[in-house]
């Protein structure tokens, strides 16, 4: 029988995955050169835009599938921490009328932290590999 916390972790993993998959895809649709220019306007290296976009897109897909959940969640949490500190913190929790606040980023950071600490194995593709590995050792 599935424990409630496993089902809850699955919901968090899939929602976080969808959120970052969409945000990563949006960065590619905007044009990574434009995103790079935005990063540079924040006094961040432009190449980081490419790195963030790939981590969000690929990481989102990996979370949905349940592959490397802890590692991906930690990477996404670091991105959220950077976004809060570098972009959103000055606008306040709910925003300043000119831009969004950091409330959503904080929620995504919390979800990332939970999954980074606890993982999520319910309906995870990764479980198929682990099961195969342990069967090979026993066989």
């Amino acid at each position: 029988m599935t424990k409630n916390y496993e089902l809850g972790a699955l919901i968090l993993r899939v929602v976080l995955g969808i959120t970052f998959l969409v945000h990563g895809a949006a960065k590619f649709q905007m044009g990574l050169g434009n995103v790079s220019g935005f990063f540079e306007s924040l006094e961040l290296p432009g190449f980081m835009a490419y790195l963030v976009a790939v981590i969000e897109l690929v990481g989102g897909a990996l979370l949905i599938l349940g592959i490397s959940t802890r590692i991906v969640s930690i990477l996404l949490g670091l991105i959220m921490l950077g976004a809060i500190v570098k972009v959103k913190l000055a606008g306040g929790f709910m925003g300043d009328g000119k831009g969004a606040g950091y409330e959503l980023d904080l929620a995504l950071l919390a979800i990332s932290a939970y999954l980074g600490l606890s993982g999520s194995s319910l309906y995870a593709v990764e479980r198929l590999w682990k099961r195969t590995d342990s069967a090979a050792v026993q066989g």
Side-chain angles (χ1 to χ4, degrees), residues 8 12 34 47-48 87 94 97 100-101 106 127:
L12 292 174
N34 295 329
F47 78 88
M48 287 183 65
V87 181
M94 293 293 291
L106 187 61
R127 287 182 74 184

Side-chain angles (χ1 to χ4, degrees), residues 1 6 12 20 23-24 31 34 43 49 51 54 60 64 66 79 86 89 92 94 97 99 103 119 124-125 131 134:
M1 187 163 108
E6 291 171 346
L12 292 174
F20 277 104
H23 278 265
N34 295 329
E43 299 179 1
L51 186 60
V54 169
I64 293 167
I79 290 170
K86 195 69 179 167
L89 195 61
M94 293 293 291
E103 73 280 2
V125 171
R131 209 174 271 160
S134 63

Side-chain angles (χ1 to χ4, degrees), residues 29-133:
Q29 289 174 340
M30 283 186 259
L32 292 180
N34 295 329
V35 179
S36 176
F38 174 69
F39 273 56
E40 289 171 352
S41 76
L42 299 171
E43 299 179 1
L44 293 170
F47 78 88
M48 287 183 65
Y50 297 87
L51 186 60
V52 167
V54 169
I55 291 171
E56 288 181 355
L57 183 72
V58 175
L62 290 174
L63 284 178
I64 293 167
L65 294 171
I67 301 171
S68 298
T69 297
R70 288 180 179 204
I71 294 167
V72 170
S73 296
I74 291 167
L75 290 173
L76 294 173
L78 291 171
I79 290 170
M80 287 296 87
L81 189 59
I84 291 169
V85 170
K86 195 69 179 167
V87 181
K88 303 283 185 87
L89 195 61
F93 187 76
M94 293 293 291
D96 57 4
K98 297 176 189 172
Y102 62 87
E103 73 280 2
L104 175 60
D105 303 81
L106 187 61
L108 295 173
L109 174 59
I111 295 169
S112 296
Y114 176 82
L115 291 172
L117 292 168
S118 301
S120 170
S121 61
L122 185 62
Y123 298 117
V125 171
E126 196 170 61
R127 287 182 74 184
L128 299 174
W129 299 323
K130 289 181 180 177
R131 209 174 271 160
T132 303
D133 291 344

Side-chain angles (χ1 to χ4, degrees), residues 1-11 121-123 127:
M1 187 163 108
T2 303
K3 302 272 190 235
N4 286 341
Y5 66 85
E6 291 171 346
L7 186 56
L10 170 66
I11 293 167
S121 61
L122 185 62
Y123 298 117
R127 287 182 74 184

